[in-house]
Amino acid sequence: MSGPPASRVERDASLKRCFIGSIDQGTTSSRFLVFDGTGKPIASHQIPFKQMHPHSGWHEHDPYELLSSIKTCIEKAMEDFNAGGHSPSDIKAIGITNQRETTVVWDKDTGEPLYNAIAWPDTRTASIVHELKERKGAADLQDICGLPLSTYPSSVKLLWLLRNVEKVKAAYEAGRLTFGTVDTWLLYNFNGGKDRDFLVTDATNASRTMFLNLHSLQYDERLLDFFELDQAKFKLPKVVSSSDPKAFGSMDSGPLKGIRITGCLGDQSSALVGQCGFDPGMAKNTYGTGCFLLYNVGEKPVISTHGLLATVAYDLGRGRRPVYALEGSIAVAGSGISFLANNLNFFPHASDVSEMASSVPDSGGVVFVTAFSGLFAPYWIDDARGTIFGLTTHTEQGHIARATIEATCFQTKAILDSMEKDSGHSLCELAVDGGMSNSDLCMQTQSDVIGIPVDRPMMRETTALGAAIAAGFAIDVWKEVEELKEINKRDRTLFRPSLSKSQRQKMFDRWEKAVGMARGWESSSDVDEVS
């Protein structure tokens, strides 16, 4: 039997000598990985950072800790990389991926943050959202930017800061306020901070602010006017493609000093790229702090009429047209497991959830609506809160653990049902990644609930891989997506549904009933607006 052509062997050998760094700044941890050109991780380091919850529903990060955690990860990973016989000069480029919507504001003159970063799950803006929904023009927003009014996007977080933090308001009135999502804050600092005032974002991150016209990929005055924001009083980053040889600058210090940053993607877009979801109709589901399902709809945005978001999937530049996605966002996934471990002391580590959930054959009739931040897609119920139904004297910790896993799986089914209605097509297989996908029980449950196979890669750092792919495209490591068809395709695990259609529907009907009963736990007047 003949082997692969010599040209392919030579190409693979060349790719194994080509290295790309990937910065992955997530909701609860930061990491830095080095991939070779075949998509194999060569070195990595990850560290968690502090989660701040000063009031109920509030979620903040220290902007400086986001930065320092990445610098530490780079230093530690590069020690391992160098110990493997490599040197920093072997790294050809760097990609960045980041938690989206999380909002950072700083003083353009000093470069110092004016408040903690308000993280994407934060719900302090609920009363502002209720107010905005009554404003003239509210019904038109989604057609322009793809997002509905909710506590989720960056826009309402900025409004809260302007209304409640004097330093932010003063900087805005003086024209010194700079706004950015996490990618912009990182790139600003990697490129010299206030000395260069380097302000850029990519289209995937910008599309999560509610300031970007999804069709033109430019900031839209109608959106800024709706939020009553004066462009003369604050600075917005320049929107560029997700892959560019010059737009993102280079590292100005540390072990990677001088190395170009050539790719940038919001984390969920990055996971879609890392799963090689380049064809319309392909989808991925990432089970992280939250859970995010992206469905590639091609080169024209599809505005959802069934509770989903329209977003930029990726824009690989070089004359290529941007690609769009329908997205279903679930606020609580892995954070629900962490809640059982950290708040209720069910088990020492979140990774222990499968063992506890496997101690019982099913949830015993327990349904846990994990609406700690309200419910996101496709329900968009801001006033829902975490609610457990079906407790009896029979209930054990294992039932609640299993119900917590099932909550994410049920919400994923609701999103897939909406995607089928919006797109006119049903998915035949779901690619997965993220922390919860490590659990065989969770992935089997997901397949049982949605009734289609679930496809899990062996190498699950697909979010970081996506950023590396975007960076590689900019410097011609790859020139066409067809060259990536073998990346991360080996030793994948396929979970097939084992329940009947009637069993699946009975479980889902009970979930939908519980969702309806979880409404109305918090009114807008209950929201704490302490500054």
Side-chain angles (χ1 to χ4, degrees):
M1 183 181 291
S2 62
S7 59
R8 179 177 158 190
V9 173
E10 292 171 3
R11 171 64 173 161
D12 285 349
S14 174
L15 287 172
K16 288 178 180 178
R17 296 190 298 270
C18 178
F19 302 103
I20 302 173
S22 181
I23 294 166
D24 182 354
Q25 200 300 296
T27 307
T28 59
S29 68
S30 296
R31 67 191 80 187
F32 178 73
L33 297 90
V34 180
F35 291 94
D36 70 15
T38 69
K40 179 182 177 181
I42 304 300
S44 67
H45 192 78
Q46 176 181 0
I47 56 175
F49 53 86
K50 186 177 180 181
Q51 307 295 308
M52 291 178 277
H53 303 278
H55 302 282
S56 176
W58 293 30
H59 193 166
E60 298 177 0
H61 297 146
D62 178 350
Y64 283 131
E65 190 178 8
L66 300 183
L67 194 61
S68 65
S69 64
I70 290 170
K71 290 181 177 179
T72 300
C73 287
I74 291 173
E75 290 169 1
K76 296 296 185 182
M78 289 305 296
E79 288 175 7
D80 292 342
F81 185 69
N82 295 339
H86 308 292
S87 69
S89 62
D90 293 333
I91 295 179
K92 304 306 180 186
I94 300 166
I96 291 178
T97 183
N98 57 281
Q99 55 172 313
R100 306 167 303 167
E101 298 94 19
T102 296
T103 299
V104 189
V105 289
W106 63 97
D107 188 311
K108 77 176 183 66
D109 291 345
T110 67
E112 295 180 357
L114 297 169
Y115 194 77
N116 283 330
I118 299 182
W120 60 267
D122 189 286
T123 60
R124 76 186 69 186
T125 56
S127 63
I128 294 177
V129 171
H130 285 293
E131 170 198 324
L132 293 174
K133 286 181 177 179
E134 301 302 317
R135 188 175 289 181
K136 183 180 179 181
D140 302 325
L141 297 180
Q142 192 165 359
D143 288 339
I144 303 171
C145 69
L147 308 180
L149 278 168
S150 73
T151 59
Y152 189 24
S154 309
S155 56
V156 293
K157 302 180 196 324
L158 177 58
L159 287 192
W160 186 92
L161 288 163
L162 288 168
R163 293 183 184 187
N164 292 275
V165 182
E166 281 300 320
K167 287 196 297 184
V168 176
K169 183 178 180 180
Y172 176 76
E173 294 299 337
R176 294 183 286 105
L177 183 67
T178 301
F179 159 88
T181 43
V182 169
D183 59 313
T184 300
W185 168 248
L186 298 179
L187 289 163
Y188 171 82
N189 283 281
F190 291 156
N191 280 278
K194 66 181 178 62
D195 295 333
R196 288 191 61 196
D197 200 24
F198 190 96
L199 293 177
V200 295
T201 187
D202 93 297
T204 68
N205 279 294
S207 69
R208 314 301 294 187
T209 62
M210 289 194 84
F211 301 147
L212 190 81
N213 184 308
L214 199 61
H215 309 272
S216 69
L217 300 189
Q218 299 295 321
Y219 295 120
D220 195 299
E221 287 188 10
R222 292 171 294 175
L223 298 171
L224 292 164
D225 288 346
F226 175 84
F227 292 108
E228 298 179 347
L229 294 168
D230 185 345
Q231 285 184 269
K233 292 185 176 181
F234 76 117
K235 297 190 70 173
L236 286 163
K238 179 183 178 182
V239 182
V240 299
S241 67
S242 311
S243 179
D244 192 284
K246 296 180 179 179
F248 302 112
S250 60
M251 302 293 287
D252 81 328
S253 63
L256 301 177
K257 183 177 181 179
I259 297 178
R260 284 185 293 170
I261 303 165
T262 60
C264 180
L265 288 159
D267 53 6
Q268 303 312 319
S269 289
S270 196
L272 183 67
V273 171
Q275 289 274 16
C276 297
F278 297 117
D279 296 326
M282 299 183 76
K284 69 87 200 175
N285 205 24
T286 298
Y287 302 77
T289 301
C291 185
F292 303 88
L293 200 159
L294 262 68
Y295 179 94
N296 184 328
V297 297
E299 296 177 353
K300 291 184 179 180
V302 174
I303 304 301
S304 176
T305 57
H306 296 92
L308 303 181
L309 312 178
T311 195
V312 179
Y314 54 86
D315 178 2
L316 295 179
R318 298 283 184 97
R320 302 177 182 91
R321 291 177 62 85
V323 172
Y324 295 89
L326 281 169
E327 176 175 333
S329 307
I330 300 170
V332 175
S335 58
I337 308 301
S338 298
F339 172 79
L340 297 185
N342 301 331
N343 295 52
L344 301 186
N345 297 314
F346 271 35
F347 29 74
H349 307 289
S351 57
D352 299 327
V353 65
S354 292
E355 182 179 354
M356 178 172 285
S358 298
S359 68
V360 293
D362 52 44
S363 67
V366 174
V367 179
F368 189 0
V369 182
T370 51
F372 303 142
S373 302
L375 285 170
F376 284 9
Y379 305 105
W380 300 109
I381 307 172
D382 290 340
D383 59 7
R385 286 296 177 265
T387 322
I388 301 178
F389 298 98
L391 296 179
T392 68
T393 55
H394 169 70
T395 303
E396 302 173 7
Q397 286 181 317
H399 296 119
I400 296 173
R402 190 177 278 264
T404 306
I405 290 172
E406 289 178 352
T408 299
C409 299
F410 287 135
Q411 288 174 87
T412 297
K413 173 175 169 50
I415 288 167
L416 283 175
D417 289 349
S418 292
M419 284 188 173
E420 183 174 348
K421 293 171 185 174
D422 277 328
S423 67
H425 301 283
S426 58
L427 206 63
C428 59
E429 188 174 280
L430 181 63
V432 298
D433 52 64
M436 282 181 69
S437 72
N438 293 323
S439 165
D440 287 358
L441 175 64
C442 180
M443 294 300 95
Q444 184 59 54
T445 302
Q446 185 66 88
S447 180
D448 288 341
V449 167
I450 61 179
I452 60 174
V454 166
D455 180 16
R456 183 180 69 188
M458 182 180 69
M459 197 289 291
R460 287 157 218 165
E461 296 288 359
T462 52
T463 302
L465 177 60
I469 289 172
F473 264 106
I475 59 169
D476 291 335
V477 173
W478 309 280
K479 295 182 180 180
E480 301 296 336
V481 296
E482 288 75 17
E483 298 175 49
L484 297 165
K485 62 183 179 181
E486 297 301 322
I487 278 193
N488 207 21
K489 291 294 186 285
R490 295 177 181 174
D491 300 318
R492 297 176 78 98
T493 303
L494 202 65
F495 297 87
R496 299 183 183 277
S498 61
L499 296 182
S500 67
K501 184 177 181 180
S502 62
Q503 287 174 305
R504 288 197 300 273
Q505 194 60 49
K506 182 179 178 181
M507 293 171 66
F508 188 65
D509 287 346
R510 186 169 57 194
W511 162 261
E512 291 283 282
K513 180 180 179 181
V515 167
M517 295 171 69
R519 290 176 179 268
W521 283 97
E522 183 169 290
S523 66
S524 59
S525 61
D526 296 329
V527 178
D528 188 351
E529 301 244 8
V530 178
S531 63

